[in-house]
Amino acid sequence: MPFRSYRDYDRRAAEGSAADLVFPFGHGLSYTTFAYSDFSVPCAQASEGGVIDVTASITNTGNVSGAEVAFLFVAGPQGSAEPRPVKALESFARVSLEAGATEQVHLPVRVRDLEHWSTAAGTWVLDPGEYTVLVGSSADANALQTAGTFTVGD
């Protein structure tokens, strides 16, 4: 399965041949800076039909007002027999903040969206195991923070 965009760059980095990107997926320019904190993944166990309402606080740490897009990526369990991306974009939220202001954003994740097509089984499959939630301003690993984990299945 060929990967495109940030998924291909993640695959290359995992194999030890990381590309030095000037503008990673989701990168934006702003006259201000933002900080992420107070992450919450409200459950440790998730069912296939569930929705996980991940929250995070975003603070405008600069001197002028600005807008920020928070990206939520999910890294699935490792060891799948089929090629899987290192992480996948599952939710995002845009927020406009005055200088010094903080706002909580909601980043819902539908567990069903974590399924992938299995060519061996000929159907959509949800891998059981631990999923890691990453939140930040772009797909760049340095811009992401671990918000928490949840388990699907077993």
Side-chain angles (χ1 to χ4, degrees), residues 1 80 82-85 112-127:
M1 163 199 240
S80 177
E82 299 185 43
R84 302 283 297 127
R112 174 167 245 146
D113 289 344
L114 303 176
E115 294 178 340
H116 64 93
W117 182 258
S118 170
T119 54
T123 187
W124 290 97
V125 174
L126 180 61
D127 293 331

Side-chain angles (χ1 to χ4, degrees), residues 1-60:
M1 163 199 240
F3 293 118
R4 304 276 188 254
S5 184
Y6 70 90
R7 292 179 180 206
D8 185 49
Y9 295 119
D10 287 347
R11 179 192 56 80
R12 289 182 194 184
E15 293 173 351
S17 61
D20 188 20
L21 301 176
V22 176
F23 300 110
F25 176 81
H27 173 80
L29 298 175
S30 180
Y31 291 104
T32 191
T33 55
F34 298 91
Y36 290 73
S37 62
D38 301 328
F39 302 104
S40 173
V41 178
C43 61
Q45 190 77 21
S47 62
E48 185 171 345
V51 176
I52 301 168
D53 186 24
V54 176
T55 58
S57 292
I58 301 176
T59 302
N60 180 341

